[in-house]
Amino acid sequence: MDKVVANAEEAVRDIGEGSSLAVGGFGLSGVPNVLIEALHRAGPGGLRVVSNNCGVDGSGLSILLEADQIVRVTGSYIGENKSFARRYLGGQVEVELIPQGTLAERLRAGGCGIPAFYTPAGVGTAVAEGGLPWRYAADGSVAVQSPAKETREFGGKSYVLEEGIVTDFALVHAVKGDRLGNLVFAKASRNFNPLAAMAGRITVAEVEELVEPGELDPQDVHLPGVFVQRVVALTPEQAANKGIEKRTVRV
């Protein structure tokens, strides 16, 4: 039951061409940077990524994007990543933009074995009616657009059907974890990390601090080890390497 692997390279060794990935993090918080960098060095292409956003320029998932390893992103925010925006508008990457809460629930549903659910988010918009540009052509026209989704009324109110998400792999970052894969997330890093971990068929977690089984109080565990297949212990230097997306005070 010991799920610890020697290093990040070994942890991502079987993520191959065309794999789908659920990746935790929000902005620069809770991003599994060490695993992403190892995947970049391994070099598989055609990756289909599910994540709230695609990192910021030069950091996080943007490293894979800028190396042309990602062909499709399912997320809710393009945000501060100019490289991501350019590639989307230039037809180099396909992007499925969905409401943030819907993305979170689609990941959770997939992890719980729920194939689909109804939500009011997006009813009466292109989210439900279709027509959102997923991929642009080189001339700026829409090459691929989103299809219409099933809607249904419950109690006199309309809802749209959304499918749960299950991916081949998941990459997440935790502040603490044990050898059995039980994880604890710190503060804002408890964003999409637990949900991404649930959605992956094979989930790899990088942890800042590795502890022995029994050292974690069960009440403090945010994600049980049943959802995690591999654990990578970060070095103190790797654990301390945390960026600041927007500095709001002077130093």
Side-chain angles (χ1 to χ4, degrees), residues 10-243:
E10 180 181 337
V12 302
R13 69 190 183 283
D14 54 349
I15 300 179
E17 196 82 12
S19 295
S20 59
L21 307 171
V23 182
F26 189 108
L28 299 185
S29 177
V31 179
N33 286 308
V34 172
L35 293 173
I36 290 171
E37 290 165 2
L39 188 58
H40 174 235
R41 291 190 292 271
L47 300 175
R48 293 166 290 127
V49 172
V50 181
S51 185
N52 176 69
N53 58 289
C54 206
V56 299
D57 291 291
S59 177
L61 285 170
S62 191
I63 295 174
L64 302 179
L65 186 73
E66 292 165 19
D68 296 322
Q69 291 175 261
I70 296 176
V71 297
R72 192 177 197 278
V73 177
T74 299
S76 64
Y77 184 59
I78 291 180
E80 310 300 323
N81 194 327
K82 295 179 182 178
S83 176
F84 186 19
R86 283 195 303 268
R87 288 171 183 272
Y88 171 46
L89 295 175
Q92 296 171 273
V93 62
E94 185 171 301
V95 179
E96 180 184 0
L97 289 173
I98 57 178
Q100 193 170 86
T102 299
L103 174 62
E105 183 62 11
R106 286 182 66 183
L107 289 165
R108 191 199 70 84
C112 292
I114 298 171
F117 59 92
Y118 285 97
T119 174
V123 171
T125 74
V127 170
E129 297 168 2
L132 287 171
W134 279 1
R135 180 185 287 276
Y136 287 97
D139 62 2
S141 62
V142 177
V144 181
Q145 63 183 17
S146 65
K149 297 177 181 178
E150 177 186 331
T151 58
R152 184 175 171 184
E153 284 196 3
F154 295 91
K157 186 174 181 179
S158 295
Y159 296 81
V160 59
L161 184 67
E162 295 280 2
E163 295 185 8
I165 293 175
V166 178
T167 58
D168 300 324
F169 296 89
L171 307 179
V172 298
H173 177 100
V175 69
K176 189 180 294 187
D178 65 18
R179 292 182 175 274
L180 304 182
N182 298 301
L183 302 179
V184 178
F185 303 98
K187 301 176 181 177
S189 67
R190 190 181 175 184
N191 39 47
F192 278 89
N193 275 298
L195 305 170
M198 293 172 68
R201 294 186 179 93
I202 297 176
T203 293
V204 186
E206 60 177 52
V207 300
E208 296 181 24
E209 180 184 354
L210 178 66
V211 300
E212 296 301 319
E215 290 188 44
L216 295 177
D217 188 323
Q219 296 185 92
D220 295 333
V221 172
H222 296 143
L223 185 80
V226 67
F227 289 110
V228 179
Q229 283 68 49
R230 299 171 193 164
V231 175
V232 177
L234 301 181
T235 65
E237 293 75 20
Q238 290 172 328
N241 186 18
K242 299 177 182 179

